[in-house]
Every structure is written in C-alpha cells, then in structure tokens.
Amino acid sequence: MEEKYTREEMIELYLQDRLSLEEKTGFEQKLLEDASFSQELDLMRSIITGIQMKKDIEVWTELEQIPTENKLKQIVSEAEKKYNKRKELKLTTKKRSLFISVFSSIAFILLLFFIGIQPEYSSQKLYQQYHNLKDIEWIPNRGGILLNPDRQSHLNKALLLYQQQNYAEALAMINETINGLGQYNIPDQVVFFSAVCLSETNKDKESIEKLEYLSLKDDSEYKQEAQWQLALAYLKDEKRDESRKTLLKIVNAKGFYADRANELLDKLEQKRWF
Amino acid sequence: MKRSGLPDNKQIISGFLSKDESLITKLYDIYRTEFISFGQKYFSIEEQIAVEIYQDSFLVLYQNVRNGKLSKLSASLKTYLFQIGKYKMLNYVNRVQKRGAVLHDISLHINDPDWERKQEIACKMLSVMNEPCNTILNLAFWEERSLAYIADVMKYKSVQVAKNSKRICIRRLKQILEEKFRAEGLI
C-alpha cells in the first residue's frame, strides 16, 4: 500500500474519501497501530477543513452582500447555463457521430455492393486468355479480287513478315500492296490481316474499323474470323457491351467460333460476388 | 467528495479561471455534480429535477444567511446546502411520487471544543497564507482539482512541479499548526 502512495498522499486521499475499500481498511489499521500517524492525520484534517472553512466564510460574505433573491436566482441560472451549453454540445456531437456512423455504414454497404457487382474477369484478362494468333492462318487468296504481280509480290513479302511476327513491317508492306486501290478492290484477306497487324501494333480503332467492315460482309470468307477478332478487339478496347453483342451474333450464327464465343460470353457476364 | 463529473471542457475551465467570477458561481460548480448524483442515487429523481432542487437550495441557503438562521462555522456550506437539498428532495419524492420516504438526518456537526479551536486556528493561519500556497491549496482542497489542473493554472512546467509545490506548502503549514496546537495544549 505504501509503495503506491507516500504516507502524506495516503492521508490526503483518506480525508478526501478517495481510497478503495481495501486501502481504507489498511489505512485505518495503521491509525490504530501508530499514534504519530493519527496525529499527522489530525493536522492534515485541520488544514483541509480549515481551507474549506476559509472559503466558506468568503462565500458567506458574498452571499450576505447579494441584495435580492432575484439577483441570486440570476447568478445560479447563469451558472447553470454553461452546463446546458455543454449538453447541447454533447447532443450535437452525438448527432454528428450518429450521422457519420450511419453514413459510413451505408457507404461501406454500397462499396461492398459495388465491389460485388464488378466483373469477375477484366476485359484485358479475357482478351489475353482468348487472343491467339495461331488460330489465324494466312492462306493464299483463292479467287476473288486478283492483284497485279507487283502488288502480289508486296503481299508475299507482307505474308513473310507476318509469319516472322514482324507486324509493323508487315503492315507497312500491306499498305504498299493496297496503295492506290479503292476500298472495294482490296481483297478481304488483305483487309483482315491488315486489321490483325493494326491490332498487334496497338492501332485498335483502325483495326476495329476494318474488322467491322468485314464482319458485315455476308459473302466474305473472313466474316467469321473477322467477327471473332472484332469481339476480342472490342475487349482490348474496353468495349464490353460491343464485344457482348458481337459474341451473341457469333453464337446465334452457330459457326466455327460459336462454342468459344458462348464460353467467353459466360465469363463476360460473371460478377465477382453477386 | 469525489467530483470527477466536473465540467472539463476548455470553455468551462476558462469560466472557472475568470477573475470576475463570483465565489457563489464557483461553489455552484463545485458541488453541482455531487448534488445531482446524490439525488439520483438516494431519491431516484431525474437530473433536471435535481438541478432545480439544487438551485432552490441555493436560494434557501441565501435566505437563511440573510435572516441569520444559520450561524457561521458550525458546519460547512456544503453541509448546509446538502441538508437543505435533502429535505427538498424528500418533499418532492413524497409529493410527486407519493412515496413515504423517511429522511435519516446525518448531522456533520462536531461538538468537540478542541476540534473547533483547532479549526479556528487553522482557518486564521490559512487566511494569512501567502501565494502561491494560498491558490495551490484552495485548488487542491476546496475545488479538489487534480495536480495537472493545478500545474496548468499555476503555469508550472510539469505536474511534478505542482506536486512538489503542494507538498512544500502542506509541510510548512503543518509545522506552523503543530507549533500553535502545542502552544495551546491541543496536542
């Protein structure tokens, strides 16, 4: 007990009724055993009571000087006012805390909901998963629009560069091939591989334009490839809705890419939690 | 005697520290929380009612002081205030809640001539006490303020400085009082 408080502190705390029951019992036991302790307590009690008495006399004198009851009422009501202000302050703080906690809860739920309705797979992830150039075989043109020998020579070089995966050079050679030709005089094969090279060199918008053109051409032998590549190009360009619409067309057409399109559609629709 | 519920925000503290504040206001602040807790604990009255009774008790105290019904020094103002309050709370409970509550009068009067003389001597000594001891001891034993509060008011660098100052003041007072008490054969 004495380790926690000094003897003087113990006496003060005892007189101010601030000791625990256990401490108080121990203290009173000491009082019985030690007369000097009791004397010290008596002195300290005189000091504390003396201070209170001195202040009481001062208050008493002040009370005597107050002329009317109304004046005293005014003093005590003024004294009470600050507690009311404090209460108001507490209430305002409580209201603010309640608002903040309700708002935070709603925001948290909305955040969870927002996270939950996010797609399980990102567009880029799906693009990476399904993008495979091995699926696309550049075969020699069979019939259709014929090119003159110079252009055919350029095209052959472009084919070679494409096979070497040098898409930028291949694209340049394709452009040489079709230089000066009208849109309808360019073979679908050239348009298609031009679109692939554009996509591989990250010229997505131009690639999409060419693929859209081909995917609408019912008589083109590159229509199915163009539609599939278009669906992927949309994904790469973060256009999920356009990609979804294109995939639905592929599924409904029940062509070569129908199964893959169906699978990709499922993944596109899949949400993270809900 | 504990007054842990005393206002502690800065606005109220600055109110306590203002020099032109009356001692009555200070007294009002010092016993308010204890009075309300007392009413709630022993008479189960609501806080607002306890506040009203507290204010009425101040008025009765004033009336008794003015018409000489109370004699100085026979008991502390706190004792008077709480005695008045207790009767008022009892009346309220019996009137409003129709309970037959009985008040057990707890008189704190001490009828020991030696004790009264000791108090008189202590009171006189304290009345002529110099600063900073006067303020430190008033804060510590009338307002029952913490050492941190005292350090703040006295602009001490730390609580330890306040603690040491308070100890020095008490020791000095004890020494003087002991001599006086011995001189009068009170110890």
Side-chain angles (χ1 to χ4, degrees), chain A residues 139-146 189 221-222:
Chain A
I139 50 173
N141 203 3
R142 296 187 298 270
I145 300 165
L146 291 172
Q189 183 195 51
E221 60 179 313
Y222 281 91

Side-chain angles (χ1 to χ4, degrees), chain A residues 92-193:
Chain A
T92 317
T93 314
K94 258 187 190 174
K95 273 185 187 172
R96 196 180 298 141
S97 306
L98 184 70
F99 174 76
I100 290 169
S101 58
V102 168
F103 181 79
S104 308
S105 305
I106 292 170
F108 183 66
I109 291 165
L110 286 176
L111 179 72
L112 286 180
F113 183 71
F114 178 75
I115 294 169
I117 60 164
Q118 290 305 300
E120 173 72 26
Y121 302 100
S122 72
S123 302
Q124 296 310 316
K125 192 174 178 183
L126 288 174
Y127 174 78
Q128 296 295 337
Q129 213 172 323
Y130 285 87
H131 172 64
N132 187 1
L133 289 183
K134 285 177 187 168
D135 292 342
I136 308 162
E137 191 185 358
W138 190 339
I139 50 173
N141 203 3
R142 296 187 298 270
I145 300 165
L146 291 172
L147 297 169
N148 67 33
D150 279 351
R151 291 186 192 275
Q152 190 59 52
S153 163
H154 282 129
L155 191 60
N156 291 340
K157 285 178 189 171
L159 172 62
L160 202 63
L161 289 163
Y162 179 87
Q163 284 166 345
Q164 290 165 0
Q165 297 180 357
N166 188 347
Y167 302 110
E169 291 291 320
L171 184 63
M173 202 50 71
I174 288 171
N175 287 338
E176 284 283 320
T177 308
I178 60 175
N179 188 23
L181 285 178
Q183 187 185 355
Y184 300 104
N185 293 324
I186 303 169
D188 290 347
Q189 183 195 51
V190 177
V191 176
F192 180 74
F193 284 100

Side-chain angles (χ1 to χ4, degrees), chain A residues 8-9 12 39 42 49-54 56 60 62-64 66 69 80 82-83, chain B residues 22-24 28-29 32 55 62-63 66 72-73 76-77 118-119 134 141 163 166 171 182:
Chain A
E8 285 174 346
E9 284 169 344
E12 267 184 58
Q39 194 179 319
D42 204 33
T49 319
I51 288 165
Q52 286 170 347
M53 193 182 284
K54 184 192 79 167
D56 277 359
W60 193 289
E62 204 173 284
L63 271 174
E64 283 178 326
I66 290 172
E69 277 184 25
E80 186 58 34
K82 62 185 165 226
Y83 294 94
Chain B
S22 76
L23 284 169
I24 295 165
Y28 185 93
D29 288 329
R32 184 184 178 276
Q55 294 187 333
Y62 167 76
Q63 288 162 347
R66 292 280 291 180
K72 279 184 191 177
L73 301 177
S76 71
L77 283 181
K118 280 180 186 174
Q119 286 315 113
N134 184 43
F141 299 115
K163 192 176 179 178
K166 183 181 150 194
R171 280 185 184 167
R182 281 195 197 284

Side-chain angles (χ1 to χ4, degrees), chain A residues 34-62:
Chain A
D34 188 345
S36 71
F37 203 49
S38 174
Q39 194 179 319
E40 214 174 312
L41 173 77
D42 204 33
L43 273 174
M44 195 60 214
R45 185 186 277 131
S46 297
I47 291 172
I48 293 176
T49 319
I51 288 165
Q52 286 170 347
M53 193 182 284
K54 184 192 79 167
K55 294 306 288 186
D56 277 359
I57 291 168
E58 287 172 21
V59 177
W60 193 289
T61 310
E62 204 173 284

